[in-house]
């Protein structure tokens, strides 16, 4: 039996903007998807026992099967001739916006490689997971699978010319507590990405200005993280959320949770991931603040994840 794991992630700066070549910053979180793979008699069979938003596994089922077929093809295996049983679990909930699909893709790729005795370095696992992500996101930036593979804090810039992406490991003084709040709405990342691209095409002047602001914000966010100025990081996260509202990828449930977190004392809060539902992120250094913000969300009936950013692989 082959086993593998992949980190969940949250994006601190740059979701949607990274798809168009603007730098972004992602962080692995202290939660992961786990996969087990064993050869079977017929077909590709998936048992998904991850907890998460109601209906997540069902709504993503066709995309999941396509992602596994893409993964096998990228590993030079014929999906029609491979028969495997896949089990998915771990402590990363299946919330939209946590990179759950990328985490599971990395975990499955590692488990397949182990089961079939294929020696793959992390760089190849990352490439394979990127191919798998196309089933979920259409035109993925690559940031989710990179964080899922390598962990830590990542500066990411997509090469729009088709060459290698810029991937740089960043470091912060110590892991920091955060709260992920889940709207309960299963987001369609592919549709959200396509929507931004269409609106950008229709209104290039407005969107170019917003994208310029997003790039400036990413550089300021990097500086604040490296200096461990968490108050500044929070302020910049708030500004990033405003830009995401301007490109029409937030929703009233996300905005409600963002406002609630700020009211409870979070240093900053923003949506994270594709938007249109899914999750938001609150920066809550220290266990006490984390618990205060998380409890306030739970009191309103929302599911939350208490975790940390800046978690390193191994």
């Amino acid at each position: 039996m082959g086993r593998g794991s992949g980190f969940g992630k949250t994006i601190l700066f740059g979701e949607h903007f990274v798809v168009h070549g603007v730098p972004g910053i992602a962080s692995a979180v202290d939660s992961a998807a786990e996969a087990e793979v064993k050869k079977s008699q017929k077909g590709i069979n998936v048992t998904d026992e991850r907890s998460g938003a109601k209906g997540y596994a069902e709504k993503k089922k066709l995309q999941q099967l396509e992602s596994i077929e893409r993964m096998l093809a990228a590993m030079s295996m014929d999906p029609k001739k491979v028969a495997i049983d896949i089990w998915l679990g771990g402590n990363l909930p299946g919330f939209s916006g946590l990179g759950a699909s990328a985490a599971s893709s990395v975990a499955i790729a590692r488990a397949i490689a182990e089961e079939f005795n294929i020696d793959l370095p992390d760089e190849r696992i990352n490439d394979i997971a990127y191919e798998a992500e196309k089933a979920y996101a259409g035109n993925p930036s690559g940031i989710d699978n990179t964080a899922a593979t390598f962990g830590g804090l990542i500066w990411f810039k997509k090469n729009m010319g088709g060459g290698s992406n810029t991937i740089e490991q960043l470091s912060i003084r110590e892991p920091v507590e955060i709260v992920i709040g889940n709207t309960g709405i299963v987001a369609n990342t592919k549709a959200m990405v396509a929507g931004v691209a269409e609106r950008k095409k229709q209104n290039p002047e407005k969107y170019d200005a917003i994208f310029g602001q997003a790039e400036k914000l990413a550089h300021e966010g990097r500086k604040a993280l490296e200096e461990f100025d968490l108050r500044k990081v929070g302020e910049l996260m708030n500004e990033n959320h405003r830009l995401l509202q301007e490109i029409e990828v937030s929703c009233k449930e996300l905005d409600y949770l963002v406002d609630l977190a700020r009211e409870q004392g979070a240093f900053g809060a923003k949506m994270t991931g594709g938007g249109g539902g899914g999750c938001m992120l609150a920066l809550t250094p220290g266990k006490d603040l984390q618990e205060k913000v998380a409890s306030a969300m739970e009191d309103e009936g929302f599911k939350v994840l208490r975790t940390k950013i800046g978690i390193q692989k191994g």
Side-chain angles (χ1 to χ4, degrees):
M1 180 185 294
R3 291 183 173 87
S5 66
F7 287 111
K9 73 90 187 61
T10 189
I11 297 182
L12 300 178
F13 300 101
E15 49 271 271
H16 283 287
F17 304 114
V18 291
V19 175
H20 301 269
V22 173
I25 300 174
S27 177
V29 298
D30 194 17
S31 307
E34 306 284 344
E36 293 179 356
V37 169
K38 60 181 179 181
K39 300 182 187 76
S40 68
Q41 297 302 308
K42 186 178 179 183
I44 298 168
N45 312 293
V46 181
T47 302
D48 195 336
E49 294 185 355
R50 293 174 294 171
S51 63
K54 187 179 179 184
Y56 178 90
E58 288 80 4
K59 289 189 179 182
K60 299 281 186 177
K61 205 160 193 175
L62 284 177
Q63 292 176 337
Q64 185 181 68
L65 183 59
E66 181 191 338
S67 78
I68 294 165
E69 290 173 347
R70 284 178 171 273
M71 207 182 298
L72 290 166
M75 297 168 84
S76 300
M77 301 167 77
D78 186 345
K80 293 177 181 174
K81 294 180 180 177
V82 174
I84 49 176
D85 292 333
I86 299 171
W87 172 87
L88 274 175
N91 64 351
L92 178 70
F95 295 166
S96 295
L98 267 185
S101 62
S104 65
S105 294
V106 169
I108 292 168
R110 285 177 169 149
I112 290 172
E114 185 173 288
E115 175 68 352
F116 287 87
N117 296 310
I118 306 168
D119 186 22
L120 296 176
D122 282 343
E123 289 74 18
R124 277 292 295 134
I125 291 290
N126 193 35
D127 291 343
I128 291 162
Y130 176 75
E131 283 302 310
E133 274 292 272
K134 290 178 181 177
Y136 295 102
N139 176 28
S141 66
I143 197 168
D144 283 21
N145 48 276
T146 301
T149 303
F150 296 101
L153 205 63
I154 292 167
W155 174 265
F156 180 94
K157 189 173 191 299
K158 185 174 183 177
N159 186 330
M160 301 305 289
S164 296
N165 297 326
T166 299
I167 299 168
E168 193 178 340
Q169 291 281 153
L170 306 179
S171 60
I172 53 175
R173 189 184 304 164
E174 61 191 30
V176 180
E177 289 82 4
I178 62 166
V179 175
I180 302 286
N182 181 25
T183 62
I185 300 167
V186 179
N188 185 334
T189 303
K190 193 179 286 190
M192 298 304 292
V193 169
V196 172
E198 181 59 29
R199 290 189 292 276
K200 188 173 187 289
K201 185 179 175 183
Q202 296 295 329
N203 199 341
E205 192 172 319
K206 174 189 174 183
Y207 273 69
D208 285 349
I210 295 170
F211 276 57
Q213 292 175 59
E215 179 151 10
K216 182 171 180 284
L217 207 61
H219 285 281
E220 290 176 352
R222 173 173 178 159
K223 184 171 184 284
L225 283 163
E226 290 176 336
E227 293 176 352
F228 209 64
D229 185 349
L230 299 182
R231 286 287 179 189
K232 183 65 175 176
V233 172
E235 290 172 14
L236 295 168
M237 285 170 57
N238 290 341
E239 180 64 12
N240 196 166
H241 185 71
R242 184 186 66 78
L243 295 180
L244 291 164
Q245 288 174 314
E246 285 195 37
I247 64 168
E248 301 177 40
V249 293
S250 191
C251 64
K252 68 179 189 298
E253 293 85 357
L254 283 167
D255 292 342
Y256 178 81
L257 284 171
V258 164
D259 290 342
L260 178 61
R262 292 173 186 168
E263 288 165 8
Q264 295 299 316
F267 284 26
K270 59 182 281 295
M271 59 161 270
T272 185
C279 294
M280 52 72 67
L281 155 71
L283 186 64
T284 56
K287 290 275 189 183
D288 290 346
L289 181 56
Q290 182 187 47
E291 189 55 40
K292 183 183 179 188
V293 172
S295 295
M297 291 180 187
E298 288 175 331
D299 287 347
E300 295 291 324
F302 294 95
K303 289 184 178 178
V304 305
L305 176 67
R306 297 160 175 84
T307 187
K308 293 180 181 181
I309 56 170
I311 300 298
Q312 298 287 344
K313 182 172 180 283

